[in-house]
Amino acid sequence: MIVIKIGGSVVDGLHPSTLADIKAIAEKEKLVFVHGGGKEVTATATKLGKEQKFIVSPGGVRSRYTDKETADIYTMVMSGKINKAIVGMLLRQGIKAVGVAGVDGGILKAERKKKLMVINEKGRKMVIDGGYTGKINDVDPSLVNTLVNSGYVPVVSPIALSEEFDFLNVDGDRAAAYVAGGVKADKVIFITNVNGLMLNEKLVTGMNLEQAKATLPKIGFGMEKKVLACTEALEMGVREAIIASGQVENPISSAIAHNNCTVITPK
């Protein structure tokens, strides 16, 4: 089984050959998709008159601040607009896709962050309410496995269930890692708009788990989350994690063949 993570904004920039490539692979392999879509959430929230706030952690990581109203918009856009757009895209290719949220069947569970340490406008540390953001701590693959074994291709949106049954905004890359670990996937592929991890202006084509973990502090925001997600997937038993471009011909097949991408393995 292969888990494929695609960003909501990447969908528009995928190579024209992508859908035919996915169909060819789906005829031979069991597939699961996990998607993101932060930019679309921001665009929709703005249209609705809800200003989006972004916070910066002491480590320099920028992320969306999710209050209750933003959480509702996030759920609507992720599990509605983006999820169904991807499902429709796959159905038009004759792929039996079905969209589910991470909360469905309790696929993704997360701990709600009660407090957040942030850097304010004056560059000082301060503690704020955690809002509706979560850190994934458990996965139940039953529903995903049931769908896959029935011949469907699940498309999972990154919304997790808290212990209090709130819907939480969780990172899409890490959601893909946990889904991959939960279903015991052979590979997890992170499709993005670059060829992979760049260090010292060179593409890193391969590294093992320990090397990847040691490299994390040197990586910029965005790619850092993808490499972190790769390490988490490998630690959960996935055999191979790949970061690859969606803008090359037959991007999924190309990633599987290790063409011009970053491949991370356990050893």
Side-chain angles (χ1 to χ4, degrees), residues 4-181:
I4 301 169
K5 160 62 171 52
I6 54 174
S9 57
V10 169
V11 172
D12 295 329
L14 289 172
H15 192 278
S17 64
T18 302
L19 292 175
D21 186 35
I22 291 171
K23 184 175 183 180
I25 294 167
E27 290 170 354
K28 301 176 288 184
E29 297 269 4
K30 293 177 178 177
L31 297 180
V32 179
F33 284 87
V34 179
H35 66 83
K39 289 181 180 178
E40 187 61 45
V41 172
T42 301
T44 301
T46 302
K47 288 176 186 175
L48 293 172
K50 173 63 177 175
E51 182 185 354
Q52 295 296 276
K53 295 179 181 177
F54 291 86
I55 54 177
V56 179
S57 73
V61 175
R62 184 176 182 268
S63 58
R64 181 189 311 276
Y65 180 72
T66 310
D67 59 13
K68 184 65 174 73
E69 193 175 359
T70 298
D72 290 341
I73 295 170
Y74 183 91
T75 301
M76 175 181 73
V77 176
M78 285 290 190
S79 296
K81 185 175 183 180
I82 297 174
N83 188 275
K84 300 316 171 194
I86 295 170
V87 168
M89 186 174 72
L90 296 173
L91 287 172
R92 282 192 288 275
Q93 293 295 310
I95 298 167
K96 290 175 62 179
V98 58
V100 295
V103 298
D104 291 327
I107 297 169
L108 295 174
K109 297 184 178 70
E111 178 183 356
R112 181 173 167 181
K113 298 176 182 177
K114 303 297 189 292
K115 300 290 181 183
L116 293 173
M117 178 75 76
V118 301
I119 303 298
N120 64 20
E121 294 85 353
K122 297 179 180 178
R124 296 174 183 165
K125 292 181 181 179
M126 64 180 290
V127 177
I128 62 172
D129 181 79
Y132 289 81
T133 299
K135 182 179 180 182
I136 302 170
N137 58 12
D138 195 20
V139 59
D140 183 344
S142 318
L143 177 58
V144 174
N145 282 329
T146 297
L147 290 168
V148 169
N149 292 332
S150 299
Y152 292 96
V153 174
V155 180
V156 184
S157 65
I159 301 167
L161 204 59
S162 76
E163 291 178 354
E164 298 83 17
F165 298 95
D166 292 311
F167 291 2
L168 301 180
N169 163 7
V170 293
D171 179 68
D173 292 325
R174 298 177 83 175
Y178 271 81
V179 169

Side-chain angles (χ1 to χ4, degrees), residues 233-262:
L234 295 173
E235 288 176 333
M236 286 184 275
V238 178
R239 298 176 190 173
E240 191 173 80
I242 302 169
I243 303 171
S245 172
Q247 299 171 349
V248 300
E249 189 171 4
N250 298 321
I252 312 300
S253 294
S254 179
I256 293 170
H258 299 173
N259 293 332
N260 207 32
C261 59
T262 298

